[in-house]
Amino acid sequence: MPMTELFNEKYKGTTVRIMFAWLSDYFIYYGVTLIFPTILKSLLVNSKIQGIMYFYLGALALLEMAANGAAPFILNHPLLGFKKGFFYCFLFTLICSLLIVIVGNGNLFALFFFIAIIKIANSLTGMVTHSLLSFST
Amino acid sequence: VSTAELYETLLRSQAEGMCAILGRTSIAFLGFIDLPALHWLNGNGLYVLFALMSAVGIYATASIPYNEKRTPLAK
């Protein structure tokens, strides 16, 4: 089956949109996973509580596990479903990112709080992204 | 499940492979912006990029032509 069929008239719109959604989802996922620890380290460089960084990163991993566990319930909820679930998770990420820019710079507690929400929303969108590819099942 | 649905599921599996490449590409992109992103926009560069990518995701999902029941959305 030629892969060019993904871009024929019937599937082109869906393929391109899912690709962009997937790219955004993974970009944010790896941003939180790879770059955020560096930012935390630079924020805590003169602090006596540098160890809290590792505690917080561990807590983020637990939140991701919980979000992955909750994803099926959210996806199957009659008021949300796949598409709205995806939409609202990205919306939460957008709002929290802007809130970090407004109030999170220098405020460690606010930064922790909003990054945790982004992590949960991003984990949920990750689960939805996989599910988007199997609508017919 | 009809043959047409199976065919479409197979196509979507191929789409997953292609999209996964894009996802992994984001790691390379992050590699380029890694340290500079810490200093952009008074240290907010990464979060602004998060907001921009979320906006792209919102547009992509909101305009996707199928809903979860696999029926075309009313225009």
Side-chain angles (χ1 to χ4, degrees):
Chain A
M1 184 181 299
M3 290 187 76
T4 49
E5 287 206 37
L6 290 171
F7 296 95
N8 67 18
E9 276 307 307
K10 186 179 180 186
Y11 299 114
K12 185 173 60 182
T14 309
T15 303
V16 171
R17 284 172 177 84
I18 290 178
M19 286 173 115
F20 274 112
W22 193 289
L23 178 66
S24 305
D25 191 49
Y26 268 73
F27 181 88
I28 295 165
Y29 179 85
Y30 287 112
V32 172
T33 309
L34 298 176
I35 294 187
F36 183 65
T38 313
I39 293 175
L40 266 187
K41 197 173 179 181
S42 67
L43 286 175
L44 295 168
V45 67
N46 293 321
S47 171
K48 291 179 180 176
I49 53 165
Q50 287 188 28
I52 198 173
M53 180 178 95
Y54 302 104
F55 175 79
Y56 183 68
L57 294 176
L60 281 185
L62 290 176
L63 282 176
E64 184 178 352
M65 280 174 59
N68 287 342
F73 299 102
I74 293 171
L75 300 185
N76 292 322
H77 196 282
L79 293 177
L80 285 172
F82 295 91
K83 189 174 173 178
K84 283 184 185 170
F86 213 146
F87 178 84
Y88 284 118
C89 285
F90 270 129
L91 189 63
F92 275 123
T93 306
L94 174 64
I95 292 170
C96 287
S97 302
L98 294 177
L99 283 173
I100 290 175
V101 173
I102 296 166
V103 299
N105 198 1
N107 185 340
L108 211 54
F109 179 77
L111 184 63
F112 279 9
F113 181 73
F114 292 131
I115 284 288
I117 295 177
I118 288 175
K119 184 71 174 173
I120 293 170
N122 185 248
S123 302
L124 289 171
T125 48
M127 295 296 282
V128 180
T129 317
H130 286 285
S131 311
L132 272 173
L133 300 163
S134 55
F135 272 177
S136 61
T137 55
Chain B
V1 180
S2 69
T3 310
E5 283 178 327
L6 279 176
Y7 183 78
E8 194 161 333
T9 304
L10 210 57
L11 272 177
R12 285 173 184 276
S13 303
Q14 289 188 334
E16 181 173 16
M18 291 186 69
C19 295
I21 293 169
L22 273 184
R24 267 60 174 181
T25 307
S26 67
I27 307 173
F29 183 41
L30 275 168
F32 283 118
I33 64 158
D34 187 353
L35 289 176
L38 305 181
H39 305 292
W40 289 345
L41 303 170
N42 196 24
N44 287 319
L46 184 67
Y47 313 120
V48 172
L49 282 171
F50 279 1
L52 288 175
M53 296 303 280
S54 306
V56 170
I58 287 170
Y59 173 75
T61 9
S63 60
I64 216 161
Y66 292 95
N67 66 4
E68 55 264 32
K69 290 176 182 170
R70 297 193 54 69
T71 53
L73 294 175
K75 290 186 178 178

